[in-house]
Amino acid sequence: FLYFIGVEMARVGVPSSKRGPGAGVVVGIVVVGALLWCLRTDDPTPNTPPARVIEADPADTAQPLVASRHESADAAPADPPLSVAVTVLVTTTTKTPDLSPTVDALAVLRQSVLSAPPPAPGTPASALPLNVSFVALVTPDVDFRMRTLIAWLGYTVRLRTSPIEPSEVRNKQIAKEVVTDGAMGIAEMVKVYGFTMHDFDYVVMVDADVHFLKGVAHVIHDFRTAGADRASLGWTRGGWDSERINGGFLVFRPAADGQRHFDAIVDTLREGDFRPGSGWKG
């Protein structure tokens, strides 16, 4: 069988002056060997790409990021894991025209979450099963090359623009200030989309320079403990006494009437009723 297949292949592809009876066998063995190689089953996922270089080594993730409970055969089924998105805003401004340091920070941020030690056994946070994802809310001024690199790092890239333009703010002084206020100007409003990310149970919105020393389970446990089932937003204070909310670390619970809160915040900024010393609407 090999001989006749090989002879036919040799007849088509080998000049008659160089063809011999052994050519059929040689070519036949090569062809059949190639077929057997294509049909091999020793690798169940031959097309799986190599792991990204920022993935933690197996030794670093001996304790899984998704907490679990040990169940006996007759125990009640475990609660389904809560889905959590560790989310960052990526934009370019006159203050940050070069995003290379930001991309470096995103890699470190993700690795800090993956490598953070799990909650101690027996603590409330250890009984909280989580599925953690990484999301980047990216403004259109971030070029395609940077978006691709962010996705390669392991982030789901979602393109977002500010939900409001400065020209929509009725208070002209506030409209002027929001363009350059803070680190990102009006692009900072993109963070409010955390209220609308309904495909997650919780959204932990952090700046790219945040580094987790403890697992995300601690954050979610503290939020659930402080806000019970009613809270939609959790935050920390800033570095100054006047900074009542630190925009670099926010926790959203989108299911808790998130769209209504999103609309209310946008309407408040559009109205522009900011009073120095007492805040929005006094």
Side-chain angles (χ1 to χ4, degrees):
F1 175 71
L2 295 179
Y3 177 83
F4 287 110
I5 291 180
V7 168
E8 181 61 22
M9 294 297 294
R11 184 185 64 80
V12 175
V14 180
S16 58
S17 60
K18 298 181 180 180
R19 196 186 309 149
V25 176
V26 172
V27 176
I29 291 175
V30 171
V31 171
V32 175
L35 290 174
L36 293 175
W37 175 259
C38 293
L39 295 175
R40 72 193 189 283
T41 58
D42 56 322
D43 184 2
T45 56
N47 296 320
T48 301
R52 297 185 178 94
V53 295
I54 68 161
E55 292 285 353
D57 294 331
D60 295 333
T61 54
Q63 295 290 340
L65 187 63
V66 178
S68 61
R69 300 174 182 176
H70 177 73
E71 302 287 353
S72 61
D74 56 349
D79 295 332
L82 297 170
S83 58
V84 178
V86 176
T87 307
V88 293
L89 165 62
V90 182
T91 186
T92 58
T93 67
T94 55
K95 300 177 183 179
T96 57
D98 180 13
L99 287 179
S100 298
T102 300
V103 171
D104 292 342
L106 292 178
V108 175
L109 165 62
R110 184 174 185 271
Q111 190 62 39
S112 74
V113 174
L114 294 175
S115 302
T123 60
S126 68
L128 196 62
L130 303 178
N131 274 337
V132 179
S133 304
F134 299 86
V135 178
L137 302 182
V138 178
T139 56
D141 52 354
V142 176
D143 62 45
F144 180 78
R145 181 179 65 88
M146 280 297 179
R147 297 181 207 170
T148 303
L149 183 55
I150 293 168
W152 181 84
L153 288 175
Y155 288 80
T156 298
V157 174
R158 297 185 177 183
L159 199 61
R160 294 290 184 271
T161 59
S162 171
I164 185 172
E165 293 297 324
S167 59
E168 299 178 57
V169 181
R170 292 193 282 270
N171 183 326
K172 298 309 175 185
Q173 180 59 35
I174 297 298
K176 181 180 178 181
E177 292 179 1
V178 296
V179 175
T180 57
D181 192 28
M184 302 178 183
I186 193 67
E188 196 91 36
M189 287 294 294
V190 170
K191 293 181 179 180
V192 183
Y193 282 109
F195 279 120
T196 68
M197 295 171 63
H198 298 291
D199 46 335
F200 296 100
D201 295 309
Y202 295 94
V203 176
V204 181
M205 186 80 64
V206 296
D207 285 348
D209 56 1
V210 168
H211 191 144
F212 281 78
L213 300 180
K214 293 184 178 181
V216 178
H218 290 282
V219 176
I220 302 304
H221 174 262
D222 291 347
F223 178 83
R224 287 162 61 92
T225 301
D229 293 328
R230 299 182 301 277
S232 300
L233 177 66
W235 65 88
T236 60
R237 288 182 176 270
W240 298 275
D241 291 338
S242 59
E243 192 176 7
R244 302 299 178 90
I245 296 180
N246 175 15
F249 196 102
L250 303 168
V251 182
F252 297 89
R253 193 164 73 93
D257 209 6
Q259 187 64 50
R260 182 176 67 84
H261 293 300
F262 174 88
D263 295 338
I265 290 175
V266 173
D267 289 343
T268 298
L269 180 57
R270 183 178 288 112
E271 184 181 2
D273 183 11
F274 183 81
R275 306 173 193 179
S278 58
W280 296 96
K281 292 189 174 183

